[in-house]
Amino acid sequence: MHSENKDLCTQTDAVNSDVSNPNSDSRTSFYQDSPDYRPLIKSSSLHKIKQDKNYSKVLVSYTGGTIGMIRSKDGVYAPVPNLMEKKIKLYPQLHDPIAAEEYNKCYPDENVLILPDVGETSRVVYVIEEYNPLLDSSNMTMDDWIRIAMNIKKSYEAYNGFIVLHGTDTMAYTASALSFMLENLGKTVVITGSQIPLYEARSDGRDNFMNSLIIAGNYCIPEVTVLFNNKLFRGNRTSKISTSSLDAFGSPNLAPLVKMGIGIHVEWRNVYRPTSIEKFNVHCVLNHNVGLLRLFPSITVEVVRAFLSPPIEGVVLQTYGAGNGPSQRKDLFDELKRANRRGVIIVNCTQCSLGQVETSYETGSALIEAGVVPGSDMTPEAALTKLSYVLSKTEWSIQTKRTMMKTNLRGELTVHKEMKVEDLDVFTSIIQSLRLSTSEEIDALQDALSPTILCSIVSEGNLEKLEIMRQFGVYLSACDYDYRTPLHIACANGNLQIVEYLLKHGASVHMRDRDHRTPLMNAVENDHHGVIELVIKAGAYLNLPPLIIGEMLCSAAKQNNLRRLESLLLARADPNEVDSTKRSALHYAVEINSKDIVTFLLNHGANVSAQDIYGHTPCDIANILKRSDLLELLQSPLSPE
């Protein structure tokens, strides 16, 4: 199977070779027996790029902010439209013109920028979409969050990762909102900006942008994140902590997901893992009737009453210390109780940067008795945007909404649970034999051994051992030396039970191995139909150029391989994709005289009018080769046009 995988990567070169040699044994052509036969012209395919080069496409949404501003004559920074892309081409650390020229020879219709080779698996190809008008983040609204989310949805399958260039002032709000709106996210979304414009001689913008491209193009971290000053944070855990430092953002209650130094260290165990088998979706409605109310000594009841009055539906109440309020102020607590009875959801968040809301104090438990929902260690930005998201869910009851505010939806709050540690003899014996003592050494050992052990367990199909590894805190999408994850192996083996288990515990369907294959491709190559249906349900898709899909369909038809065609169509391949000669699978099915495959393709929407490079349709081929039974089938009124 490994050789088959390798052939798939280089099949374009083989196709071009066959096309230039009409007598090649690897391709039989009805034209050779036809009076209309003439040698085929070598294909001018757009996919001539050597397949040993992996390219990863990233969409950059430039919404505005300091990163793209220019200093005016008055010394004031202001955005300038249609300048970003032109300027970036002047910076060799952000754009490689030689690589771009090579790429554009094969993809002349794509206007792209290419990041220089930074030693990662894939070269990052990126496109910049500039918003009009460009916005200072202080002017951002919920409608702008929706616009950004919908833009990601529109381009979701065309790109491997996404970057949003954004002003810093409200970046934490945007990151938090998007984390909830982008449901079942399976790809990396990085939000970044700068304290100094990218075009200045001394700027943090260039490093922030370059690092964001590296992460979005090469690391499958399926979260909305914020990248600043060589650190990648979970977006809904961030707050802006400085107006003047280049270290402008902090994540007080969660360590960075990635630290970028001489090397790039990803803390995979902290990466959030969705647990539902659903496709990516954007929730594009938000409730505007939410607000932040910060307690202060001697706050008046009139202020609280006015704030909690209609149309308000949700409030983040910023309290003292570990979530405490003035419990002796009966007038205030009466207002909170009345608002709660009207259906207003009030969430208790601490005014402190570090720590979380506790109920161990009498002043904190009094708020719970008044119906206030404890907000754990959510930031005010996360709590507010989560309220807006939860309140907009019309399918949820008010009680469900209250429950959801306490539930960890996107890694925005900490849930303390006891970790079961059992049957760890392998790790324990290795730790003892190597005389490891520090937690850092043990963590490094676990990171090194886990991928190999996981892949071995999945290959055996041992669900019990896999559960033990999960309880031990092992990251279930850890890659082996070939960048294959346990999900790749389970899909290749067709173990439906293991695949379902991995998906329910956060395994990503978008991870790519060294040859850029996804788990879906492994399932297709091995014709595991149940697995294909399951990973498609989880949001997988064929991340391949149309020509490659066309070659796969045509190859299956030419080999009379009905099961492979079924696999490809289950994976949502278009049966009308063509190979480099513009022939479809239906052309080849007629040529080899396979009634079963012709019938199958017709039942799945194959186009009987499709013409190859000589203008021949499948009906023409049936005529030339005197396939009268197939011609009748093709001309049947039941056949799709």
Side-chain angles (χ1 to χ4, degrees), residues 520 523-524 527-537 567 570-571:
L520 173 60
V524 168
D527 299 313
H528 298 310
H529 291 177
V531 171
I532 293 171
E533 291 175 329
L534 187 59
V535 294
I536 286 287
K537 183 180 177 183
S567 298
L570 276 174

Side-chain angles (χ1 to χ4, degrees), residues 289-291 308 312-317 336 339-348 371-373 386-387 390-391 397-406:
N289 299 321
V290 294
L308 295 176
I312 204 75
E313 297 179 53
V315 173
V316 176
L317 185 66
L336 295 176
N340 178 60
R341 287 195 293 268
R342 290 198 308 270
V344 178
I345 298 179
I346 306 170
V347 181
N348 183 5
V372 177
V373 177
K386 183 178 181 180
L387 254 182
V390 167
L391 286 168
S397 67
I398 188 64
Q399 187 53 49
T400 299
K401 292 175 181 179
R402 292 182 191 277
T403 301
M404 288 300 172
M405 287 306 302
K406 295 184 288 186

Side-chain angles (χ1 to χ4, degrees), residues 351-378:
Q351 296 177 14
C352 301
S353 297
L354 285 168
Q356 66 179 36
V357 169
E358 302 281 0
T359 59
S360 54
Y361 290 93
E362 177 269 333
T363 48
S365 61
L367 286 169
I368 292 180
E369 292 174 7
V372 177
V373 177
S376 186
D377 56 354
M378 282 192 288

Side-chain angles (χ1 to χ4, degrees), residues 592-613:
I592 67 169
N593 199 23
S594 173
K595 186 174 182 179
D596 287 343
I597 290 186
V598 168
T599 301
F600 173 79
L601 290 169
L602 290 176
N603 288 337
H604 287 82
N607 183 8
V608 299
S609 303
Q611 296 183 346
D612 63 16
I613 59 174

Side-chain angles (χ1 to χ4, degrees), residues 70-71 136 329 350 365 448 569:
I70 294 284
R71 192 191 299 269
D136 186 292
R329 290 285 305 275
T350 174
S365 61
L569 266 59

Side-chain angles (χ1 to χ4, degrees), residues 287-584:
N287 188 308
H288 290 62
N289 299 321
V290 294
L292 289 161
L293 176 60
R294 185 181 177 96
L295 291 183
F296 57 89
S298 298
I299 186 172
T300 66
V301 70
E302 288 79 15
V303 168
V304 174
R305 183 183 301 124
F307 198 89
L308 295 176
S309 298
I312 204 75
E313 297 179 53
V315 173
V316 176
L317 185 66
Q318 293 184 271
T319 56
Y320 311 128
N324 302 316
S327 58
Q328 294 181 1
R329 290 285 305 275
K330 184 176 182 301
D331 55 344
L332 296 186
F333 277 75
D334 285 344
E335 290 299 330
L336 295 176
K337 291 176 182 177
R338 276 193 284 270
N340 178 60
R341 287 195 293 268
R342 290 198 308 270
V344 178
I345 298 179
I346 306 170
V347 181
N348 183 5
C349 289
T350 174
Q351 296 177 14
C352 301
S353 297
L354 285 168
Q356 66 179 36
V357 169
E358 302 281 0
T359 59
S360 54
Y361 290 93
E362 177 269 333
T363 48
S365 61
L367 286 169
I368 292 180
E369 292 174 7
V372 177
V373 177
S376 186
D377 56 354
M378 282 192 288
T379 64
E381 296 92 338
L384 183 76
T385 53
K386 183 178 181 180
L387 254 182
S388 180
Y389 168 78
V390 167
L391 286 168
S392 68
K393 289 281 191 176
T394 56
E395 66 272 26
W396 290 347
S397 67
I398 188 64
Q399 187 53 49
T400 299
K401 292 175 181 179
R402 292 182 191 277
T403 301
M404 288 300 172
M405 287 306 302
K406 295 184 288 186
T407 303
N408 184 27
L409 300 181
R410 306 285 190 274
E412 72 280 1
L413 56 82
T414 301
V415 177
H416 294 287
K417 57 183 179 180
E418 293 185 7
M419 184 75 71
K420 288 174 63 181
V421 181
E422 54 185 83
D423 197 20
L424 302 176
D425 293 343
V426 174
F427 280 104
T428 304
S429 60
I430 294 175
I431 289 168
Q432 291 174 346
S433 65
L434 294 178
R435 297 181 180 178
L436 303 180
S437 57
T438 68
S439 60
E440 289 81 6
E441 290 175 328
I442 294 171
D443 286 345
L445 174 68
Q446 180 178 324
D447 290 342
L449 294 180
S450 294
T452 302
I453 295 173
L454 270 176
C455 290
S456 175
I457 288 172
V458 169
S459 184
E460 294 172 5
N462 193 322
L463 190 58
E464 184 179 355
K465 286 184 180 179
L466 191 59
E467 170 62 12
I468 291 169
M469 293 291 285
R470 185 190 69 81
Q471 291 178 3
F472 190 49
V474 172
Y475 181 55
L476 294 184
S477 284
C479 304
D480 67 8
Y481 68 95
D482 230 5
Y483 301 107
R484 285 165 64 86
T485 67
L487 188 59
H488 281 90
I489 293 168
C491 287
N493 292 346
N495 192 322
L496 192 61
Q497 187 181 21
I498 297 287
V499 170
E500 184 174 7
Y501 175 88
L502 290 169
L503 291 174
K504 285 182 176 178
H505 289 90
S508 173
V509 296
H510 300 293
M511 296 287 275
R512 294 165 288 166
D513 64 16
R514 192 181 295 277
D515 293 322
H516 254 211
R517 279 172 183 72
T518 61
L520 173 60
M521 276 307 306
N522 289 142
V524 168
E525 289 163 0
N526 292 278
D527 299 313
H528 298 310
H529 291 177
V531 171
I532 293 171
E533 291 175 329
L534 187 59
V535 294
I536 286 287
K537 183 180 177 183
Y541 59 91
L542 287 175
N543 188 18
L544 294 169
L547 178 65
I548 299 297
I549 295 175
E551 293 292 346
M552 294 168 68
L553 288 162
C554 291
S555 175
K558 187 168 59 175
Q559 296 171 22
N560 200 22
N561 190 340
L562 180 58
R563 186 162 180 82
R564 178 59 49 83
L565 282 172
E566 290 172 341
S567 298
L568 287 164
L569 266 59
L570 276 174
R572 308 293 171 83
D574 182 349
N576 293 307
E577 296 291 2
V578 297
D579 66 7
S580 56
T581 66
K582 301 229 165 122
R583 303 177 80 192
S584 68

